[in-house]
Amino acid sequence: GEDVEQSLFLSVREGDSSVINCTYTDSSSTYLYWYKQEPGAGLQLLTYIFSNMDMKQDQRLTVLLNKKDKHLSLRIADTQTGDSAIYFCAESSGGSYIPTFGRGTSLIVHP
Amino acid sequence: DADVTQTPRNRITKTGKRIMLECSQTKGHDRMYWYRQDPGLGLRLIYYSFDVKDINKGEISDGYSVSRQAQAKFSLSLESAIPNQTALYFCATSDLERQGGYTFGSGTRLTVV
């Protein structure tokens, strides 16, 4: 079945850029998503990208998609302590459009 | 009020007990889902419903059942709780336009002792 892989942890200093990477196996993926989960809360949709796009930018967030390599990344510029959270990558494809989630990357931001 | 409300927020129950987790939404979405989150395992789909008359099993439905009482309500039951069902449970909703972009509830932390 489909698989979505992410590294489990990332540690950065406040003010640096963070890059969270994700790989997926389903070549028919149509939509790719990034969700953020803060402690004690549910997941919040941060951004999503259609598979026919290479890049999407939204304020401090930049999403890059390499369809050939099935690689998705989320770059957070000027990372703040409030960005500390778990970030989930997810992909969905035609039909039911039910996303497959990665295991999540815990981003730790040090002052 | 939250768009997706889950009750209770926390629950401790004994092995063998029946327990129901409830979810209600004000988004007007047709699609509703139940997920379970375990540390290091991410989210796993338990059941999903595309409308009131449509219920489907997810990847880990054994030991669980659901009821879609109305468009806005979707409940998850554990018929006879066991300790490995200790987890964080999330309800989510989506509409077709967002193509899988979910709105999540805040979760129910369930402990089975």
Side-chain angles (χ1 to χ4, degrees):
Chain A
E2 300 88 358
D3 199 13
V4 178
E5 297 286 343
Q6 308 176 234
S7 56
L8 293 182
F9 299 99
L10 176 65
S11 178
V12 300
R13 288 191 181 279
E14 190 174 17
D16 288 350
S17 291
S18 306
V19 179
I20 303 172
N21 295 299
C22 170
T23 58
Y24 59 96
T25 58
D26 188 353
S27 58
S28 65
S29 294
T30 306
Y31 297 87
L32 296 116
Y33 311 85
W34 284 105
Y35 285 83
K36 177 183 181 182
Q37 184 182 27
E38 296 181 352
L43 281 70
Q44 174 192 4
L45 180 65
L46 276 181
T47 185
Y48 65 99
I49 189 169
F50 297 110
S51 59
N52 62 356
M53 298 170 64
D54 297 325
M55 185 181 84
K56 182 177 181 181
Q57 190 154 1
D58 183 3
Q59 299 182 334
R60 292 190 298 122
L61 305 180
T62 302
V63 178
L64 294 178
L65 174 60
N66 182 328
K67 279 194 71 176
K68 174 176 172 290
D69 295 337
K70 300 190 187 68
H71 182 269
L72 183 74
S73 67
L74 174 70
R75 179 177 180 271
I76 305 173
D78 187 25
T79 312
Q80 303 298 306
T81 54
D83 294 322
S84 292
I86 302 175
Y87 290 81
F88 289 90
C89 171
E91 63 85 23
S92 69
S93 55
S96 67
Y97 289 106
I98 295 176
T100 300
F101 288 86
R103 297 186 177 192
T105 299
S106 289
L107 174 64
I108 301 165
V109 183
H110 298 285
Chain B
D1 288 343
D3 293 326
V4 180
T5 302
Q6 291 184 236
T7 56
R9 287 298 310 273
N10 293 282
R11 180 72 181 266
I12 301 173
T13 193
K14 291 184 178 180
T15 297
K17 293 291 188 182
R18 184 180 189 274
I19 182 168
M20 180 183 289
L21 309 183
E22 302 198 37
C23 177
S24 63
Q25 53 120 342
T26 58
K27 299 287 289 184
H29 289 167
D30 286 326
R31 299 180 167 202
M32 297 188 74
Y33 312 80
W34 276 104
Y35 282 87
R36 143 176 199 164
Q37 184 179 25
D38 298 276
L41 294 181
L43 291 169
R44 292 183 290 169
L45 182 63
I46 306 172
Y47 270 96
Y48 62 101
S49 169
F50 283 175
D51 65 44
V52 174
K53 296 182 180 179
D54 177 78
I55 302 289
N56 303 280
K57 292 182 178 180
E59 60 181 296
I60 55 161
S61 60
D62 286 349
Y64 301 94
S65 63
V66 291
S67 174
R68 184 82 184 265
Q69 300 95 326
Q71 188 209 34
K73 295 184 183 293
F74 192 36
S75 60
L76 176 72
S77 294
L78 286 68
E79 299 302 326
S80 179
I82 55 177
N84 77 0
Q85 291 178 312
T86 294
L88 188 54
Y89 290 84
F90 286 105
C91 175
T93 73
S94 71
D95 64 26
L96 196 57
E97 183 178 341
R98 290 294 294 276
Q99 303 293 21
Y102 285 0
T103 301
F104 280 85
S106 297
T108 294
R109 184 167 296 282
L110 176 66
T111 303
V112 184
V113 297

